[in-house]
Each structure stands twice: as C-alpha cells, then as structure tokens.
Amino acid sequence: MEQQRPIEEQIDLPFLESLRISFQSLKIRFGRSIITTAGITLGIAFLVSVWTNNEIEFALQESGRSSEIANLDEASEQGISTKDIWLIIMSLIVCVVGIANSMLMAVTERFREIGTMKCLGALDGFVVRLFLLESGFQGFAGALIGALIGLLGAVILGLKNYGLDLFFYFPLLPARPENGPFQLGVLLLILFGCLLGMILAVIGSSFPAWRAAKLPPAEAMRTEV
Amino acid sequence: MPDIVVKTEDVVKEYRMGSNVLRALDGINIEIQRGEYISLMGPSGSGKSTLFNMIGALDRPTEGEVYIDGQNMSHLSQRQIAAFRCHRVGYIFQSYNLLNVRTAHGNVTLPMIFAGIPEKQRNEKAERLLDKVGLGDRMYHLPDELSGGQRQRVAIARALANDPSIILADEPTANLDTITGREIIDLIKQLNTEQGVTVISATHDLKMLDVSDRIVDIRDGLVERIRNRDEIEIEVGEVGGHE
C-alpha cells in the first residue's frame, strides 16, 4: 500500500499565468482571432456610424442650420425621430447578434481544447477565466477599431452632406443632454461602443465556455463542431 | 495482499439520447493491481472507452462506484478531481488531443503549470521528457508540424509530466501505422517495466496483447472474461518490415 495517500486539492493559478496563456493563444491563433475580432469590429462600426450620423444631424438642427439642409427629417422639432431610434435599435440588434455569434463559434470549436485542459488538471474557473481574458481583449480591440471606423464613416458622410460646416457643430458632447439615452455625444458614444463590444464579447464567450467547463471532460472532447 | 490501484463496483453508465436510453456499461466489476499492464479489449461500441472514461474520472458513472488508491471518486470535490487528473493520471488519446496553439514543449509544460511547478524546473523537465520519447530535436514545433507518431510521443511525454502512478491510454495506436504503433506500444511498455507505472489501455490492437499482463474482454457493457497473458495465444505477424 505504498501510495494510498489522500488526494490533495488543486491549486489556483496565478493571474499572470492565465494572462500569459491567453495572450499566447491569441497570438498563435492570430488569423482566427482576427476573423472573430472582425465580427466585433463590423457590429460596432455599424452601430457607431448610424448613431454618430444621427448625432450630427441633430447637432446641425440644434444649430439652426436645419432649414438649409434638405435631407433632414421632418420630425426635427422633437429631437430624435422614430426612424432614427428604429435604425439605432436595429443596428444594436445586428451588433449583439453578430458578436454573440462569432464568440459562440470561436468557443464551440474549442470544446475539445477545454476538455483536454481539464484532463491535464485545469479547474473549471481557470478555463472560464482564460476565455474571459481572451474575449475581453478581443472585444475591446475590435470594438475600438470598429468605433473609429464607424466614426470615420459618419464623418465622411457628413462632409458629403453638409460640407465643412460639420466641424463647427461637431457633437463631441451631447447637443442636448436632456434628450435622453439616444443623444450621447460622439465621445461618450465611442466609449459606449468600446464597452458594449467588450461586454458582448465577454458574455458571448464566457457563457459557452462556462457551459463547456462544467461538462465532464469526456463529453467536452466528444463534441464535434 | 495485492496492492489494488483501481477498483470498480457495479459501474453502470447510461447515455440518454432523446427518449432512448443507451446502457453503455451494465455493471462492471474489475480490480487492477499496481504496476499492471491491463488491456481493455472489445469491439467498437462495447463500452471499453466508456469504462476508460470512468476510471480516469473523465465522466461520472450513472450507478456504482470507482475507487482509485482506495478512494471513492464520487466523494471527491471538484478541486480534488482536478488535482487527481493533474497528478495521479496521465492520459493518452487516440487522436492525441494536443493543444494546437502550444508547441510540443508547451504541451508538456501545461500540466506542470497547473501543478504549480516553477518555470525553470518545468522547462527542464519538459526537455528531459521530450528527449526521452525521442523528440529532443523537435521540442519547439507546433503539433501541426509533427507526424502522427511524433504527436503521440508528445502526448506520452505530457502524460508523464507530473509523474503519475497510472497511465490511461485510449486506443493510442489506432491512428498510427503498424510500425509506429509498435514503437508507441514499446515506449508505453518501457514506462510500465522501468518505472512501475500502472498502464490501463483500451484497445483493439492485437499488438497490445503481448505486452499486457492481463486482458479484460468487454462486450455489451459487461466484462466477458479476464485472461492472463499466458492463457492466450498471440499471433502477431510481422507486417511492414523496416522503414
């Protein structure tokens, strides 16, 4: 009975070690990471461009220049039009679904990896933390790029429609803050876009990662995508 | 009194698929002694891989108990099960299950990272183990850059990382050609004889038989019979010759 010693408890890994493993994984899977990140970038770019465009229109209306601008909305006195709200909500939905989908795919194709890590002694919490870190980083980077692309798109469109006047009235801060959540100002909007992208990416990946981590390894490794 | 390392008591495993219930294991009782080389034999779908998963704490039985080192596995906490997989068992799979994002060296160090071994120590050990399995010159290659046999060698080195007392091998030679398969079997057998590691292998590779101490035949989720090596006649023809 040489080895009938009790089974000890698994230790937690230092945070730095998780960070290192997750970065390494992103680096080696660079091509795949870029595609997932691009999904986030597109969603946020769409949202930010629609929204910024809307903010620009509103700022110009507020400045009293709306009479000169033919293609502004009829409902301008009430601030933001139903059509614009609808467009923003639509773009939000596209963004949420797009990001959730790319993160879900990215995690599902790694079920076997999750099972294997558990065979080697990974705790469920470690697996989830790894995906949280990876997706948080991807989400933030993708969303920041997306927000900047969206902003650029809206500015180009604004320049085409309103010319250089745009910059005199550029809505860096909300033109009328009392108008509620659909008027953030461009600075807040970019921050909102980045946070949204990051949060959606983290939720979109950590939920399936958590589910996979809870599975017995045999089952996780059996999962075919 | 023999030193029992693995013992199963009436282990039943059912899989539910919709309204169907598939009984993969139908009450398995086996005892495995420390240092043995055991082969679980049986056709596809006989339940040998399921039994393998139960012994390795990779899945939970529906009914019955599994004891390893005298401990009832169903009484362990999550942390204890993780530690058990990390320290006590080394797994080798048919499809290698290497992490493709890590080099051969990175794969071997991973279980040691989980065990909390300092970096310098684990790097040295990974090099030593990869040298031992004959991959000293391919340490920093990714799995995609290695052949099947080489990948399985990495998997063996990884299985040995935390000096386990049990090696569990699930069809380790199924994806390999005869000669490479033979080499892998010899390597596993060498660990068994030199280091006294208990080897439990699910297989239907006849080449595995002549290195096994005992062969457990599994059929329809039951132990059909257990044979000692001297009770069986093995006719493994020489196939393939030399490379």
Coordinates of all heavy atoms in Angstrom, one line a residue, chain A residues 1-13 17 20-21 24-25 28-29 110 112-114 116-124 126 214-219 221-222, chain B residues 1 3-4 15 34 53 58-60 69-71 76-80 82-88 91 93 95 97 99 101-102 110-111 113-116 119 122 142 158 165:
Chain A
M1 N 0.8 -1.2 0.0 CA 0.0 0.0 0.0 C 0.9 1.2 0.0 O 0.8 2.1 0.9 CB -0.9 0.0 1.3 CG -1.9 -1.1 1.3 SD -3.3 -0.7 0.3 CE -4.0 -2.4 0.1
E2 N 1.8 1.3 -0.9 CA 2.8 2.4 -0.9 C 2.1 3.7 -1.1 O 2.6 4.7 -0.6 CB 3.9 2.1 -1.9 CG 3.3 1.5 -3.2 CD 4.1 2.0 -4.4 OE1 4.9 2.9 -4.4 OE2 3.9 1.3 -5.5
Q3 N 1.1 3.8 -1.9 CA 0.7 5.1 -2.4 C -0.8 5.4 -2.0 O -1.4 6.2 -2.7 CB 0.9 5.2 -3.9 CG 1.4 6.5 -4.2 CD 1.7 6.6 -5.7 OE1 1.4 5.7 -6.5 NE2 2.2 7.7 -6.1
Q4 N -1.3 4.9 -0.9 CA -2.7 5.2 -0.6 C -2.8 6.5 0.1 O -3.5 6.7 1.1 CB -3.3 4.1 0.3 CG -3.2 2.7 -0.3 CD -4.5 2.3 -1.0 OE1 -5.4 3.1 -1.1 NE2 -4.6 1.1 -1.5
R5 N -2.2 7.5 -0.5 CA -2.2 8.9 0.2 C -3.5 9.6 -0.3 O -4.0 9.3 -1.4 CB -1.0 9.7 -0.2 CG -0.8 9.8 -1.7 CD 0.6 10.2 -2.0 NE 0.9 9.8 -3.3 CZ 0.9 10.6 -4.4 NH1 0.5 11.9 -4.2 NH2 1.2 10.2 -5.6
P6 N -4.0 10.4 0.5 CA -5.3 11.1 0.1 C -5.0 12.0 -1.0 O -3.9 12.5 -1.3 CB -5.6 11.9 1.4 CG -4.3 12.0 2.2 CD -3.5 10.8 1.8
I7 N -6.1 12.3 -1.8 CA -6.0 13.1 -2.9 C -6.1 14.6 -2.5 O -7.0 15.0 -1.8 CB -7.1 12.8 -4.0 CG1 -6.7 11.4 -4.6 CG2 -7.1 13.9 -5.1 CD1 -7.8 10.8 -5.4
E8 N -5.1 15.4 -2.9 CA -5.0 16.8 -2.4 C -6.0 17.6 -3.2 O -6.7 17.1 -4.1 CB -3.5 17.3 -2.6 CG -3.0 17.2 -4.0 CD -2.5 15.8 -4.4 OE1 -2.8 14.8 -3.7 OE2 -1.7 15.7 -5.3
E9 N -6.0 18.9 -2.9 CA -6.8 19.8 -3.6 C -6.0 20.6 -4.7 O -4.9 20.9 -4.5 CB -7.4 20.9 -2.7 CG -8.2 20.3 -1.6 CD -9.6 20.9 -1.5 OE1 -9.7 22.1 -1.6 OE2 -10.6 20.2 -1.3
Q10 N -6.7 20.8 -5.8 CA -6.0 21.5 -6.9 C -5.8 23.0 -6.5 O -6.6 23.6 -5.9 CB -6.8 21.4 -8.2 CG -6.1 22.0 -9.4 CD -4.8 21.4 -9.8 OE1 -3.9 21.3 -8.9 NE2 -4.6 21.0 -11.0
I11 N -4.6 23.5 -6.9 CA -4.3 24.9 -6.6 C -4.8 25.9 -7.6 O -5.1 25.5 -8.7 CB -2.8 25.1 -6.4 CG1 -2.1 24.6 -7.7 CG2 -2.2 24.4 -5.2 CD1 -0.7 25.1 -7.9
D12 N -5.0 27.1 -7.3 CA -5.3 28.2 -8.2 C -4.1 28.6 -8.9 O -3.0 28.7 -8.3 CB -6.0 29.3 -7.5 CG -7.4 29.0 -7.2 OD1 -8.1 28.6 -8.2 OD2 -7.9 29.2 -6.1
L13 N -4.2 29.0 -10.2 CA -3.0 29.5 -10.9 C -2.9 31.0 -10.7 O -3.9 31.7 -10.6 CB -3.2 29.3 -12.4 CG -2.8 27.9 -13.0 CD1 -2.9 28.0 -14.5 CD2 -1.5 27.6 -12.5
E17 N -0.1 34.0 -15.0 CA 0.0 32.8 -15.8 C -1.2 32.6 -16.7 O -1.0 32.3 -17.9 CB 0.0 31.6 -14.8 CG 0.7 30.3 -15.4 CD 2.2 30.5 -15.6 OE1 2.9 30.5 -14.5 OE2 2.6 30.6 -16.7
R20 N -0.8 35.1 -19.5 CA 0.3 34.7 -20.4 C -0.3 33.6 -21.4 O -0.1 33.7 -22.6 CB 1.5 34.1 -19.7 CG 2.7 34.2 -20.4 CD 3.9 34.2 -19.5 NE 4.1 32.8 -19.1 CZ 5.2 32.5 -18.4 NH1 6.2 33.4 -18.1 NH2 5.4 31.2 -18.1
I21 N -1.0 32.6 -20.8 CA -1.6 31.6 -21.7 C -2.6 32.1 -22.7 O -2.6 31.8 -23.8 CB -2.2 30.5 -20.8 CG1 -1.1 29.8 -20.0 CG2 -3.0 29.5 -21.6 CD1 -1.7 28.7 -19.0
Q24 N -0.8 34.1 -25.5 CA -0.1 33.1 -26.3 C -1.1 32.5 -27.3 O -0.9 32.4 -28.5 CB 0.5 32.1 -25.5 CG 1.6 31.3 -26.1 CD 2.2 30.3 -25.2 OE1 1.6 30.0 -24.1 NE2 3.3 29.8 -25.5
S25 N -2.3 32.2 -26.7 CA -3.3 31.5 -27.5 C -3.8 32.5 -28.6 O -4.0 32.1 -29.8 CB -4.4 31.1 -26.6 OG -5.6 30.7 -27.3
I28 N -0.9 32.8 -31.4 CA -0.7 31.7 -32.3 C -1.9 31.5 -33.2 O -1.8 31.1 -34.4 CB -0.4 30.4 -31.5 CG1 0.9 30.7 -30.9 CG2 -0.4 29.2 -32.4 CD1 1.7 29.5 -30.5
R29 N -3.1 31.8 -32.7 CA -4.3 31.7 -33.5 C -4.6 33.0 -34.2 O -5.8 33.3 -34.4 CB -5.5 31.4 -32.5 CG -6.3 30.2 -32.7 CD -7.5 30.3 -31.8 NE -7.2 29.9 -30.5 CZ -7.2 28.7 -30.1 NH1 -7.6 27.8 -30.9 NH2 -6.9 28.4 -28.9
R110 N -13.6 25.1 -29.8 CA -12.5 24.8 -28.9 C -13.0 23.9 -27.7 O -12.3 23.8 -26.7 CB -11.9 26.1 -28.4 CG -11.1 26.8 -29.5 CD -10.7 28.2 -29.1 NE -9.7 28.2 -28.0 CZ -9.3 29.3 -27.4 NH1 -9.7 30.4 -27.8 NH2 -8.3 29.2 -26.5
R112 N -13.0 20.8 -27.5 CA -12.0 19.7 -27.3 C -10.8 20.2 -26.5 O -10.3 19.5 -25.6 CB -11.6 19.1 -28.6 CG -10.5 18.0 -28.5 CD -10.1 17.6 -29.9 NE -11.0 16.7 -30.5 CZ -11.0 15.4 -30.4 NH1 -10.0 14.9 -29.7 NH2 -11.8 14.7 -31.0
E113 N -10.4 21.4 -26.8 CA -9.3 22.0 -26.1 C -9.7 22.2 -24.6 O -8.8 21.9 -23.7 CB -9.0 23.4 -26.7 CG -7.8 24.0 -26.2 CD -7.6 25.4 -26.8 OE1 -7.9 25.6 -28.0 OE2 -7.0 26.3 -26.1
I114 N -10.9 22.6 -24.3 CA -11.4 22.8 -23.0 C -11.3 21.4 -22.2 O -10.8 21.3 -21.1 CB -12.8 23.4 -22.9 CG1 -12.7 24.8 -23.5 CG2 -13.4 23.3 -21.5 CD1 -14.1 25.5 -23.6
T116 N -9.5 18.8 -23.0 CA -8.1 18.4 -22.8 C -7.5 19.1 -21.6 O -6.8 18.5 -20.8 CB -7.3 18.7 -24.1 OG1 -8.0 18.1 -25.2 CG2 -5.9 18.1 -24.0
M117 N -7.8 20.4 -21.5 CA -7.2 21.2 -20.4 C -7.7 20.6 -19.0 O -6.9 20.6 -18.1 CB -7.5 22.7 -20.5 CG -6.6 23.3 -21.5 SD -6.5 25.1 -21.3 CE -8.0 25.6 -22.0
K118 N -8.9 20.2 -19.0 CA -9.5 19.7 -17.8 C -8.8 18.3 -17.5 O -8.6 18.0 -16.3 CB -11.0 19.5 -17.8 CG -11.6 20.9 -17.7 CD -13.1 20.8 -17.5 CE -13.4 20.1 -16.2 NZ -14.9 20.1 -15.9
C119 N -8.5 17.5 -18.5 CA -7.8 16.3 -18.3 C -6.4 16.5 -17.7 O -5.9 15.7 -16.9 CB -7.5 15.6 -19.6 SG -8.9 14.8 -20.3
L120 N -5.8 17.7 -18.0 CA -4.5 17.9 -17.5 C -4.5 18.6 -16.1 O -3.5 18.9 -15.6 CB -3.7 18.8 -18.5 CG -3.6 18.3 -19.9 CD1 -2.9 19.3 -20.8 CD2 -2.9 16.9 -19.9
G121 N -5.7 18.8 -15.6 CA -5.8 19.3 -14.2 C -6.3 20.8 -14.1 O -6.2 21.4 -13.1
A122 N -6.9 21.3 -15.2 CA -7.4 22.7 -15.1 C -8.7 22.7 -14.3 O -9.5 21.8 -14.5 CB -7.7 23.2 -16.5
L123 N -8.9 23.7 -13.5 CA -10.1 23.9 -12.8 C -11.1 24.6 -13.7 O -10.7 25.3 -14.6 CB -9.9 24.8 -11.6 CG -9.2 24.1 -10.4 CD1 -8.7 25.2 -9.4 CD2 -10.0 23.1 -9.7
D124 N -12.4 24.3 -13.5 CA -13.4 25.0 -14.3 C -13.2 26.5 -14.4 O -13.3 27.1 -15.4 CB -14.8 24.7 -13.7 CG -15.2 23.2 -13.7 OD1 -14.3 22.4 -14.1 OD2 -16.2 22.9 -13.2
F126 N -10.6 28.2 -14.0 CA -9.4 28.6 -14.9 C -9.8 28.7 -16.3 O -9.5 29.6 -17.0 CB -8.3 27.7 -14.6 CG -7.1 27.9 -15.6 CD1 -6.3 28.9 -15.4 CD2 -7.0 27.1 -16.7 CE1 -5.2 29.1 -16.3 CE2 -6.0 27.3 -17.7 CZ -5.1 28.3 -17.5
K214 N -18.1 23.1 -17.4 CA -18.9 22.3 -16.4 C -19.0 20.9 -16.9 O -19.3 20.0 -16.1 CB -20.3 22.9 -16.3 CG -20.3 24.2 -15.5 CD -20.4 23.9 -14.0 CE -19.9 25.1 -13.2 NZ -19.0 24.8 -12.1
L215 N -18.9 20.7 -18.2 CA -19.1 19.3 -18.7 C -18.0 18.4 -18.2 O -16.9 18.8 -18.1 CB -19.1 19.3 -20.2 CG -20.2 19.9 -21.0 CD1 -19.9 19.8 -22.5 CD2 -21.5 19.1 -20.7
P216 N -18.3 17.1 -18.0 CA -17.2 16.2 -17.8 C -16.3 16.2 -19.0 O -16.8 16.3 -20.1 CB -17.9 14.8 -17.7 CG -19.3 15.1 -17.4 CD -19.6 16.4 -18.0
P217 N -15.0 16.1 -18.8 CA -14.1 16.2 -20.0 C -14.4 15.3 -21.1 O -14.3 15.6 -22.3 CB -12.7 15.9 -19.4 CG -12.8 16.1 -18.0 CD -14.2 16.0 -17.6
A218 N -14.8 14.0 -20.8 CA -15.1 13.1 -21.8 C -16.2 13.6 -22.8 O -16.1 13.5 -24.0 CB -15.6 11.7 -21.2
E219 N -17.1 14.3 -22.2 CA -18.2 14.8 -23.0 C -17.8 16.0 -23.8 O -18.1 16.2 -25.0 CB -19.4 15.2 -22.1 CG -20.7 14.9 -22.7 CD -21.8 15.0 -21.6 OE1 -21.7 14.3 -20.6 OE2 -22.7 15.9 -21.8
M221 N -14.8 16.6 -24.9 CA -13.9 16.1 -26.0 C -14.7 15.4 -27.1 O -14.2 15.3 -28.2 CB -12.8 15.3 -25.4 CG -11.8 16.0 -24.6 SD -10.4 15.1 -24.1 CE -11.1 13.9 -23.1
R222 N -15.9 14.9 -26.8 CA -16.7 14.2 -27.8 C -17.4 15.2 -28.7 O -17.7 14.8 -29.8 CB -17.7 13.4 -27.1 CG -17.7 11.9 -27.4 CD -18.9 11.1 -26.9 NE -19.6 11.7 -25.8 CZ -19.5 11.2 -24.6 NH1 -18.7 10.3 -24.3 NH2 -20.3 11.7 -23.6
Chain B
M1 N -1.2 -9.4 0.4 CA -2.3 -8.8 -0.1 C -2.0 -7.9 -1.3 O -1.0 -7.1 -1.2 CB -3.0 -7.9 1.0 CG -4.2 -7.2 0.6 SD -4.8 -6.2 2.0 CE -5.9 -5.1 1.2
D3 N -1.8 -5.0 -4.0 CA -2.0 -3.5 -3.9 C -2.9 -3.1 -5.0 O -2.5 -3.0 -6.2 CB -0.6 -2.9 -4.1 CG -0.7 -1.4 -3.8 OD1 -1.8 -0.9 -3.5 OD2 0.3 -0.7 -4.0
I4 N -4.2 -2.9 -4.7 CA -5.2 -2.6 -5.7 C -5.2 -1.1 -6.0 O -5.3 -0.3 -5.1 CB -6.6 -3.0 -5.2 CG1 -6.7 -4.4 -4.9 CG2 -7.7 -2.6 -6.3 CD1 -6.5 -5.3 -6.1
Y15 N -26.4 6.5 -21.4 CA -26.5 7.8 -22.1 C -27.9 8.0 -22.6 O -28.6 7.0 -23.1 CB -25.6 7.7 -23.4 CG -24.1 7.7 -23.0 CD1 -23.4 6.5 -23.1 CD2 -23.5 8.9 -22.6 CE1 -22.0 6.5 -22.8 CE2 -22.2 8.8 -22.3 CZ -21.4 7.7 -22.4 OH -20.1 7.7 -22.1
R34 N -1.5 -2.5 -8.7 CA -0.4 -1.5 -9.0 C 0.7 -2.2 -9.9 O 1.1 -3.3 -9.6 CB 0.2 -1.0 -7.7 CG 1.0 0.3 -7.9 CD 1.4 0.9 -6.6 NE 0.3 1.3 -5.8 CZ -0.5 2.3 -6.0 NH1 -0.3 3.1 -7.1 NH2 -1.5 2.5 -5.2
N53 N -13.2 6.1 -19.5 CA -13.5 7.4 -19.0 C -13.9 7.4 -17.5 O -13.6 8.4 -16.8 CB -14.7 8.0 -19.8 CG -14.3 8.4 -21.2 OD1 -13.1 8.6 -21.5 ND2 -15.2 8.5 -22.1
L58 N -13.0 11.0 -16.1 CA -13.4 11.9 -17.2 C -14.9 12.0 -17.4 O -15.4 12.8 -18.1 CB -12.7 11.5 -18.5 CG -11.2 11.4 -18.5 CD1 -10.7 10.9 -19.8 CD2 -10.6 12.7 -18.1
D59 N -15.6 11.1 -16.7 CA -17.0 11.1 -16.8 C -17.5 10.4 -15.5 O -16.7 9.7 -14.8 CB -17.5 10.3 -18.0 CG -18.8 10.9 -18.5 OD1 -19.5 11.6 -17.8 OD2 -19.2 10.6 -19.7
R60 N -18.8 10.7 -15.1 CA -19.3 10.1 -13.9 C -20.2 8.9 -14.2 O -21.0 9.0 -15.2 CB -20.1 11.1 -13.2 CG -19.3 12.2 -12.5 CD -20.2 13.2 -11.8 NE -19.7 14.6 -12.1 CZ -20.1 15.4 -13.0 NH1 -21.2 15.1 -13.7 NH2 -19.6 16.6 -13.1
D69 N -6.8 4.3 -5.7 CA -5.9 4.4 -4.5 C -6.8 4.3 -3.2 O -6.6 5.0 -2.3 CB -5.1 5.7 -4.5 CG -4.0 5.6 -5.4 OD1 -3.5 4.5 -5.8 OD2 -3.5 6.7 -5.9
G70 N -7.8 3.5 -3.3 CA -8.7 3.2 -2.2 C -9.7 4.4 -1.9 O -10.4 4.3 -0.9
Q71 N -9.8 5.3 -2.8 CA -10.7 6.4 -2.5 C -11.9 6.4 -3.5 O -11.7 6.2 -4.7 CB -10.0 7.8 -2.7 CG -8.9 7.9 -1.7 CD -8.4 9.3 -1.5 OE1 -9.2 10.2 -1.4 NE2 -7.1 9.4 -1.5
L76 N -15.2 12.9 -4.1 CA -14.2 13.9 -4.2 C -14.8 15.2 -4.6 O -15.8 15.3 -5.4 CB -13.1 13.5 -5.3 CG -12.3 12.3 -5.0 CD1 -11.2 12.1 -6.0 CD2 -11.6 12.4 -3.6
S77 N -14.2 16.3 -4.2 CA -14.6 17.7 -4.6 C -14.1 18.0 -6.0 O -13.2 17.3 -6.5 CB -14.1 18.7 -3.6 OG -12.7 18.8 -3.7
Q78 N -14.6 19.0 -6.6 CA -14.1 19.5 -7.9 C -12.6 19.7 -7.9 O -11.9 19.3 -8.8 CB -14.8 20.8 -8.3 CG -16.2 20.6 -8.8 CD -16.3 19.6 -10.0 OE1 -15.5 19.6 -10.9 NE2 -17.3 18.7 -9.9
R79 N -12.1 20.3 -6.8 CA -10.7 20.6 -6.7 C -9.9 19.3 -6.6 O -8.8 19.2 -7.1 CB -10.4 21.5 -5.5 CG -10.6 22.9 -5.9 CD -10.3 23.8 -4.7 NE -10.6 25.2 -5.0 CZ -9.8 26.0 -5.6 NH1 -8.5 25.6 -5.8 NH2 -10.1 27.2 -5.9
Q80 N -10.4 18.4 -5.9 CA -9.7 17.1 -5.7 C -9.7 16.3 -7.0 O -8.7 15.7 -7.4 CB -10.3 16.3 -4.6 CG -10.0 16.8 -3.2 CD -10.7 16.0 -2.2 OE1 -11.9 15.8 -2.2 NE2 -10.0 15.6 -1.2
A82 N -9.7 17.6 -10.0 CA -8.8 18.3 -10.9 C -7.3 17.9 -10.5 O -6.5 17.6 -11.3 CB -8.9 19.8 -10.8
A83 N -7.1 17.9 -9.2 CA -5.8 17.5 -8.7 C -5.5 16.0 -9.0 O -4.3 15.7 -9.4 CB -5.7 17.7 -7.2
F84 N -6.5 15.2 -9.0 CA -6.3 13.8 -9.3 C -5.9 13.7 -10.8 O -5.0 13.0 -11.1 CB -7.7 13.1 -9.1 CG -7.7 11.7 -9.7 CD1 -7.1 10.6 -9.0 CD2 -8.4 11.5 -10.9 CE1 -7.1 9.4 -9.6 CE2 -8.4 10.2 -11.4 CZ -7.8 9.1 -10.8
R85 N -6.6 14.4 -11.7 CA -6.3 14.3 -13.1 C -4.9 14.9 -13.4 O -4.2 14.4 -14.2 CB -7.3 15.1 -13.9 CG -8.7 14.5 -13.9 CD -9.6 15.4 -14.8 NE -11.0 15.0 -14.6 CZ -12.0 15.9 -14.4 NH1 -11.7 17.2 -14.4 NH2 -13.2 15.5 -14.3
C86 N -4.5 15.9 -12.6 CA -3.3 16.6 -12.8 C -2.1 15.7 -12.3 O -1.1 15.6 -13.0 CB -3.3 17.9 -12.0 SG -1.9 19.0 -12.3
H87 N -2.2 15.1 -11.1 CA -1.1 14.4 -10.5 C -1.0 12.9 -10.6 O 0.0 12.3 -10.7 CB -1.0 14.7 -9.0 CG -0.8 16.2 -8.7 ND1 0.5 16.7 -8.7 CD2 -1.6 17.2 -8.5 CE1 0.4 18.0 -8.4 NE2 -0.9 18.3 -8.3
R88 N -2.2 12.3 -10.6 CA -2.2 10.8 -10.4 C -2.3 10.1 -11.8 O -1.9 8.9 -11.9 CB -3.4 10.4 -9.6 CG -3.5 11.0 -8.2 CD -2.5 10.3 -7.3 NE -2.5 10.9 -6.0 CZ -3.0 10.4 -4.9 NH1 -3.7 9.3 -5.0 NH2 -3.0 11.0 -3.8
Y91 N -3.0 10.9 -19.3 CA -3.9 10.4 -20.4 C -3.3 10.4 -21.7 O -2.6 11.3 -22.1 CB -5.2 11.3 -20.4 CG -5.9 11.4 -19.1 CD1 -5.6 12.4 -18.3 CD2 -6.9 10.5 -18.8 CE1 -6.3 12.6 -17.1 CE2 -7.6 10.7 -17.6 CZ -7.3 11.7 -16.8 OH -8.0 11.8 -15.6
F93 N -4.5 9.7 -25.8 CA -5.8 9.5 -26.5 C -5.5 9.1 -28.0 O -4.4 9.3 -28.5 CB -6.6 10.8 -26.6 CG -7.0 11.3 -25.2 CD1 -6.3 12.2 -24.6 CD2 -8.2 10.8 -24.7 CE1 -6.7 12.7 -23.3 CE2 -8.6 11.2 -23.4 CZ -7.8 12.2 -22.7
S95 N -6.7 10.4 -30.7 CA -6.4 11.5 -31.5 C -5.5 12.5 -30.9 O -5.5 13.7 -31.2 CB -7.7 12.1 -32.0 OG -8.6 12.3 -30.8
N97 N -5.0 14.7 -28.9 CA -5.5 15.8 -28.1 C -4.4 16.7 -27.6 O -4.4 17.1 -26.4 CB -6.3 15.2 -26.9 CG -7.7 14.8 -27.3 OD1 -8.0 14.6 -28.5 ND2 -8.6 14.5 -26.3
L99 N -2.8 20.4 -27.6 CA -3.3 21.8 -27.8 C -2.5 22.4 -29.0 O -1.3 22.5 -28.9 CB -3.1 22.7 -26.6 CG -3.8 22.2 -25.3 CD1 -3.8 23.2 -24.2 CD2 -5.3 21.9 -25.6
V101 N -2.3 25.2 -30.2 CA -1.7 26.5 -30.0 C -0.4 26.5 -29.2 O 0.3 27.5 -29.1 CB -2.6 27.5 -29.4 CG1 -3.8 27.8 -30.2 CG2 -3.1 27.0 -28.0
R102 N 0.0 25.3 -28.7 CA 1.2 25.3 -27.9 C 2.2 24.3 -28.6 O 1.8 23.3 -29.2 CB 0.9 24.8 -26.5 CG 0.0 25.7 -25.7 CD -0.4 25.2 -24.4 NE 0.8 25.2 -23.4 CZ 1.1 26.3 -22.7 NH1 0.3 27.3 -22.7 NH2 2.1 26.3 -21.9
L110 N 2.3 22.3 -19.8 CA 1.0 22.7 -19.3 C 0.5 22.0 -18.0 O 0.1 22.7 -17.0 CB -0.1 22.6 -20.4 CG -1.4 23.3 -20.1 CD1 -1.1 24.8 -19.9 CD2 -2.3 23.1 -21.3
P111 N 0.6 20.7 -17.9 CA 0.2 20.0 -16.7 C 1.0 20.5 -15.5 O 0.6 20.5 -14.4 CB 0.3 18.5 -16.9 CG 0.7 18.4 -18.3 CD 0.9 19.7 -19.0
I113 N 2.3 23.5 -15.2 CA 1.8 24.8 -14.9 C 0.6 24.7 -13.9 O 0.6 25.3 -12.9 CB 1.4 25.6 -16.1 CG1 2.6 25.9 -17.0 CG2 0.7 26.9 -15.7 CD1 2.3 26.7 -18.3
F114 N -0.3 23.7 -14.3 CA -1.4 23.5 -13.4 C -1.0 23.0 -12.0 O -1.7 23.2 -11.1 CB -2.4 22.5 -14.1 CG -3.1 23.1 -15.3 CD1 -3.3 22.2 -16.4 CD2 -3.5 24.4 -15.4 CE1 -4.0 22.7 -17.5 CE2 -4.1 24.9 -16.5 CZ -4.3 24.1 -17.6
A115 N 0.1 22.3 -12.0 CA 0.5 21.7 -10.7 C 1.3 22.8 -9.9 O 1.7 22.5 -8.8 CB 1.4 20.5 -11.0
G116 N 1.6 23.9 -10.5 CA 2.3 25.0 -9.8 C 3.8 24.8 -9.7 O 4.4 25.3 -8.8
E119 N 8.8 27.8 -13.2 CA 9.1 27.8 -14.6 C 10.4 27.1 -15.0 O 10.4 26.2 -15.9 CB 9.1 29.2 -15.1 CG 9.2 29.3 -16.6 CD 8.9 30.7 -17.1 OE1 8.6 31.6 -16.3 OE2 9.1 30.9 -18.3
R122 N 10.0 23.3 -14.6 CA 9.2 22.6 -15.6 C 9.7 22.6 -17.0 O 9.6 21.7 -17.7 CB 7.7 23.2 -15.5 CG 7.6 24.6 -16.0 CD 6.1 25.1 -15.8 NE 6.0 26.4 -16.4 CZ 5.5 27.4 -15.8 NH1 5.1 27.3 -14.5 NH2 5.4 28.6 -16.4
L142 N 5.1 23.1 -33.5 CA 3.7 23.0 -33.1 C 3.2 21.6 -33.6 O 3.8 21.0 -34.5 CB 2.9 24.1 -33.9 CG 3.1 25.5 -33.4 CD1 2.5 26.5 -34.4 CD2 2.5 25.7 -32.0
R158 N 3.7 14.3 -22.3 CA 2.8 15.2 -21.5 C 2.2 14.4 -20.4 O 2.0 14.9 -19.2 CB 1.8 15.8 -22.4 CG 0.9 16.8 -21.7 CD -0.1 17.4 -22.6 NE -1.1 16.5 -23.1 CZ -2.1 16.8 -23.9 NH1 -2.2 18.0 -24.4 NH2 -3.0 15.8 -24.3
S165 N 0.9 7.9 -11.3 CA 1.1 6.4 -11.0 C 0.3 5.6 -12.0 O 0.5 4.4 -12.0 CB 0.6 6.2 -9.5 OG -0.6 6.7 -9.3

